[in-house]
Amino acid sequence: MTTAVRGRTAQDAASARRPVPVRVAWLAAALVALALVGAASVAFGVRAVTWPDVVAGVGGASNTLAEAAVLQRVPRTVLAMVVGAALGLAGAVMQGVTRNPLADPGILGVTTGASLAVVVGLAFFGLAAPTTVIWVAILGAAGAAVLVYSIGSLGRGGATPLKLALAGAATSAAFSSLISAVLLPRVDALTDFRFWQIGGVGGASFSRILQVLPFLAVGALVCVVTARGLNSLALGDDVAAGLGEHVARTRVLAAAGAILLAGAATAVAGPIGFVGLAVPHLCRLLVGVDHRWLLPFSTVVGAVLLTAADVIGRLVARPAEVDVGIVTAIIGAPIFIWIVRRQKVRAL
């Protein structure tokens, strides 16, 4: 047994000793936190409102400006939760598939690939139907993932965590340059694309949410089904195969679920970073490395983080607001640095 496998086995054993009630308690606490940030998202924003306005607005009333403001915050809150959950889950799965602690949809170039596909589709083909945009974003995310994995697999050792991270960074830089090249000659569309590229959940509507929800639901289901297989992959491909796991099938299914989540989330909210990177690390500290617990916990915590970031962005710059993609970078970077300092980052 190699040193990496022995270390991983010890880590799994330590995780297995975590009592189930402790994990349940953490999951319950995360759900309570989600309810609290959801209430805060509806109650607080650029326009100050009273609690009667909140109650009336949530009930569907829009007789006053305050009630109308609350009514608009409801789908925005739901979209923030849905997108945050998708990114948190996608990040946990990508880290499990690649055994790379630095993997997330942004670093591996998946969100940038989705962004490039959407920009090209809108600029050259005039795509307008929301469902079509979602499909284009998913195809772009899938193409980027295949490209990054192919580049990272070149040379000795195959697709190591370091090579995947470097290939993802290079691919993201190249795709970002291509996006700029497409947008710069189109001054009329540059402003809209620029705000979309930052990432945000403003202007949300229930119709947009319903359009993207089936894609996210299928992606989440695929990811959750592969949780046990991801536990086996964490021991290494040879050990996983020895345990009876179909390594290639599990990796392809899990990656497909994560790509579906990341692509759909990017299509509806733009490329939002750091959620898929920081959330799984934080969740491992609390519930361990068992993906049967890690995946649902990352889903809830991702929703909490993005919703809280959206609330902060609306409060810190009144009467304007800061896009959630900027806030997640400001919040996520220190959290990730703290996690790295507390726990040595290693291959998963």
Side-chain angles (χ1 to χ4, degrees):
M1 184 179 292
T2 65
T3 302
V5 172
R6 285 198 300 269
R8 182 62 184 181
T9 303
Q11 187 182 22
D12 289 342
S15 175
R17 288 195 295 268
R18 284 186 173 89
V20 172
V22 173
R23 290 170 168 170
V24 172
W26 277 118
L27 185 57
L31 290 172
V32 171
L34 181 60
L36 292 176
V37 297
S41 178
V42 174
F44 301 106
V46 174
R47 177 181 292 275
V49 298
T50 63
W51 282 110
D53 294 328
V54 172
V55 174
V58 171
S62 58
N63 299 321
T64 66
L65 290 177
E67 292 175 355
V70 172
L71 187 60
Q72 291 178 351
R73 293 173 192 170
V74 175
R76 177 172 183 160
T77 300
V78 175
L79 182 61
M81 290 181 177
V82 169
V83 171
L87 294 177
L89 178 57
V93 171
M94 287 184 178
Q95 291 176 10
V97 168
T98 62
R99 297 202 303 275
N100 182 358
L102 297 178
D104 94 316
I107 289 180
L108 292 184
V110 175
T111 55
T112 314
S115 300
L116 176 61
V118 171
V119 168
V120 170
L122 294 176
F124 292 105
F125 301 101
L127 299 181
T131 303
T132 304
V133 172
I134 295 172
W135 275 113
V136 168
I138 292 171
L139 292 176
V146 171
L147 177 62
V148 169
Y149 193 83
S150 299
I151 296 174
S153 300
L154 298 176
R156 290 185 177 181
T160 63
L162 178 59
K163 288 164 66 177
L164 286 174
L166 292 175
T171 301
S172 294
F175 284 174
S176 296
S177 298
L178 290 175
I179 291 173
S180 299
V182 172
L183 293 180
L184 284 177
R186 295 164 176 83
V187 180
D188 55 336
L190 183 59
T191 300
D192 293 336
F193 281 124
R194 179 168 56 87
F195 284 112
W196 180 83
Q197 282 183 279
I198 294 174
V201 292
S205 65
F206 282 115
S207 62
R208 290 179 63 195
I209 296 171
L210 291 176
Q211 287 162 353
V212 76
L213 200 57
F215 297 91
L216 298 179
V218 172
L221 179 61
V222 171
C223 290
V224 171
V225 168
T226 61
R228 188 181 295 272
L230 290 175
N231 286 342
S232 299
L233 291 183
L235 301 172
D237 291 357
D238 293 337
V239 176
L243 294 174
E245 188 67 38
H246 196 299
V247 174
R249 182 179 61 195
T250 300
R251 180 168 280 122
V252 169
L253 282 176
I259 289 169
L260 193 58
L261 289 171
T266 302
V268 75
I272 298 175
F274 278 100
V275 176
L277 180 63
V279 165
H281 284 280
L282 177 61
C283 293
R284 286 190 193 91
L285 295 178
L286 300 178
V287 299
V289 297
D290 187 344
H291 285 85
R292 293 172 296 179
W293 288 92
L294 178 64
L295 297 188
F297 197 57
S298 297
T299 302
V300 178
V301 174
V304 172
L305 176 59
L306 193 64
T307 307
D310 186 43
V311 175
I312 293 171
R314 283 183 267 158
L315 295 178
V316 297
R318 282 179 168 176
E321 64 178 67
V322 179
D323 287 309
V324 70
I326 298 174
V327 180
T328 54
I330 296 173
I331 295 176
I335 291 176
F336 185 65
I337 292 172
W338 172 76
I339 293 172
V340 172
R341 287 177 59 87
R342 179 171 177 174
Q343 179 176 335
K344 183 179 178 181
V345 173
R346 54 193 170 193
L348 298 175

